[in-house]
Amino acid sequence: MEYYLDSHAHTIASGHAYNTIFEMAEAAAQKGLKLLALTEHAVAMPGTCHEFYFSNLRMLPRRIKGIEVLFGAEVNIMDYEGNVDMDEGLLAQMDVVVASLHTPCIRPGTREENTKALLGAMKNPYVNIIGHPDDGRYPVDFEALVQTAKERHVLLELNNTSLHPKGSRKDPKPNDREMLRLCSQYQVPIIVNSDAHSAFDVGEHGYAEALLKEMRFPGELIVNRSVEEYKKYINRKESGTF
């Protein structure tokens, strides 16, 4: 299957990534992508950019090196209610929002607490994607997660970096298998993302693609197959779908 977009990547602005906006866009263009979303870590992540960075994203062009480039945020879920580290006014300015659990921002809780945190984040009308829900340090109820994603029109992410042999997340593969099994059962779309922190990894989906083939996951449930399909899940504030 052709993967036409990557909707979770970071530049040097995130503090622990290695390339510029231009370099990331150039890498995406060279790999034949039609769209790249740059989603810097939001303000609670140590070393990342100030909120002024996000408020000024409106000044950047949305076409670089011949491809469409979106600018958004990977917000941090800060508590078990699902509150995130970006206020509504700033969230409304983002092209796309990924919400994730990160150990510098929230301690791993019980299965019930972690699930409540993710479900709470999905209730936020500006959250489009749940990032790397496969981290075993944060055990979750995948059935509740998948059903809520369907109800709230939020994409669940299959994160290629999670599956990398040198990745830091715990037991991603069995967790991803469970998520994919339920998404297939309930006909819930997913998004495959690189979570690239360097230009070398932009558009790299090899580990995720191998798992999808193993699971015989339906191609029609992978939104990377179509930019138009992907856009049904972002900018919902403009379309009124939330």
Side-chain angles (χ1 to χ4, degrees), residues 207-219:
Y207 298 113
E209 189 171 9
L211 185 58
L212 290 165
K213 287 180 179 177
E214 174 196 314
M215 297 291 295
R216 298 183 179 179
F217 191 78

Side-chain angles (χ1 to χ4, degrees), residues 10-130:
H10 302 272
T11 75
I12 54 172
S14 281
H16 58 275
Y18 300 95
N19 290 96
T20 65
I21 290 170
F22 186 85
E23 289 165 343
M24 296 293 275
E26 186 171 42
Q30 288 175 351
K31 292 179 182 180
L33 296 185
K34 294 182 178 180
L35 182 148
L36 174 67
L38 295 172
T39 51
E40 309 300 354
H41 285 288
V43 297
M45 180 64 73
T48 196
C49 39
H50 191 273
E51 64 180 18
F52 292 167
Y53 178 92
F54 294 101
S55 64
N56 202 44
L57 290 172
R58 65 185 183 278
M59 303 302 293
L60 294 174
R62 265 47 179 183
R63 197 154 198 89
I64 302 172
K65 298 298 293 185
I67 69 165
E68 187 171 3
V69 180
L70 303 184
F71 295 95
E74 183 181 13
V75 297
N76 299 288
I77 301 171
M78 301 300 294
D79 57 37
Y80 302 128
E81 301 301 317
N83 294 304
V84 300
D85 60 336
M86 187 174 281
D87 64 35
E88 184 174 335
L90 202 49
L91 284 169
Q93 298 177 47
M94 300 298 101
D95 294 334
V96 59
V97 175
V98 180
S100 306
L101 295 166
H102 291 115
T103 52
C105 301
I106 182 172
R107 66 171 180 81
T110 64
R111 184 171 183 262
E112 292 72 23
E113 288 172 330
N114 300 329
T115 302
K116 185 179 179 183
L118 291 176
L119 300 190
M122 281 196 277
K123 293 177 183 176
N124 187 316
Y126 298 101
V127 168
N128 310 125
I129 298 167
I130 293 296

